[in-house]
Amino acid sequence: MDKDIKKKEDKPKKNDFKSFLRKRAPIYLALIAMLVVFVIPEMTKGTLEKNFPELSDENQQVVDILMGYDGPNNDGLTVLEALKNKINEEYPNEKIFDHKKTTIDLTITNVDSKEYQVNFNFKSHKGEMDYDWNVNVDSEKITPNNSEAKYIIDLVDYYD
């Protein structure tokens, strides 16, 4: 009888949780690796909108009207998408929004009670792009003030 008691004491008790983890550890490690490699970089990826400076509510409304403008037919390309496309054309195969030297300056000045002038200046390590528009808050009419801004508005207006 003493032998039976000793045999029971010699055998360590199985820990179900440890054996559960041991069997599945490679699966969990693979899932964590996939999360780190694929999901986290996409979540932290820089975008044009994330680089906009903080604005007051009134100025944010003006920027929203400008960036959301999608032409006279109200369908298709927006000014924001056109700007993204233009920047991607200038900087192909680069993560330009994640670059340290990339800055976006948005200057909004009140021209009169319902009209604002918006200066959008995109600066990077290779150069800069400057766009200048007037935005009427009541009619939501966008008027370009320079050739680059006119190109963007024409692109949006005549996009099929």
Side-chain angles (χ1 to χ4, degrees):
M1 267 219 260
D2 288 335
K3 291 182 181 179
D4 292 336
I5 293 172
K6 285 184 181 178
K7 285 183 181 178
K8 287 181 182 178
E9 288 178 8
D10 288 343
K11 285 187 177 179
K13 293 183 179 179
K14 281 190 173 181
N15 189 343
D16 292 333
F17 184 68
K18 283 185 180 179
S19 65
F20 175 81
L21 282 179
R22 238 182 242 139
K23 289 179 185 176
R24 289 156 185 86
I27 295 169
Y28 293 135
L29 288 174
L31 289 174
I32 291 171
M34 286 175 46
L35 179 76
V36 168
V37 171
F38 295 110
V39 176
I40 292 175
E42 284 298 316
M43 291 174 62
T44 59
K45 187 172 152 181
T47 62
L48 182 62
E49 298 93 348
K50 287 183 181 177
N51 285 337
F52 283 172
E54 291 292 322
L55 301 170
S56 68
D57 290 338
E58 184 179 350
N59 290 344
Q60 186 63 46
Q61 179 188 8
V62 173
V63 171
D64 290 342
I65 290 170
L66 173 65
M67 296 299 161
Y69 177 73
D70 57 355
N73 298 331
N74 294 331
D75 60 347
L77 191 68
T78 64
V79 170
L80 182 65
E81 292 167 345
L83 286 171
K84 286 180 189 177
N85 292 343
K86 180 68 175 166
I87 291 169
N88 287 335
E89 284 176 14
E90 294 290 325
Y91 304 96
N93 302 324
E94 282 188 55
K95 294 182 178 181
I96 193 65
F97 300 115
D98 293 332
H99 199 276
K100 292 177 186 177
K101 292 186 178 179
T102 299
T103 60
I104 294 174
D105 295 325
L106 263 173
T107 307
I108 301 159
T109 54
N110 194 345
V111 176
D112 62 28
S113 64
K114 297 298 177 184
E115 191 159 333
Y116 293 84
Q117 182 179 11
V118 178
N119 289 322
F120 178 88
N121 192 350
F122 178 83
K123 295 178 187 175
S124 72
H125 63 284
K126 289 185 178 177
E128 87 179 62
M129 293 184 252
D130 190 40
Y131 302 94
D132 186 10
W133 294 280
N134 281 356
V135 178
N136 188 317
V137 177
D138 283 342
S139 66
E140 296 187 359
K141 183 179 179 189
I142 313 292
T143 309
N145 295 332
N146 64 2
S147 60
E148 292 86 3
K150 182 170 179 10
Y151 172 76
I152 294 294
I153 295 299
D154 288 343
L155 188 67
V156 168
D157 284 344
Y158 301 112
Y159 183 78
D160 286 358

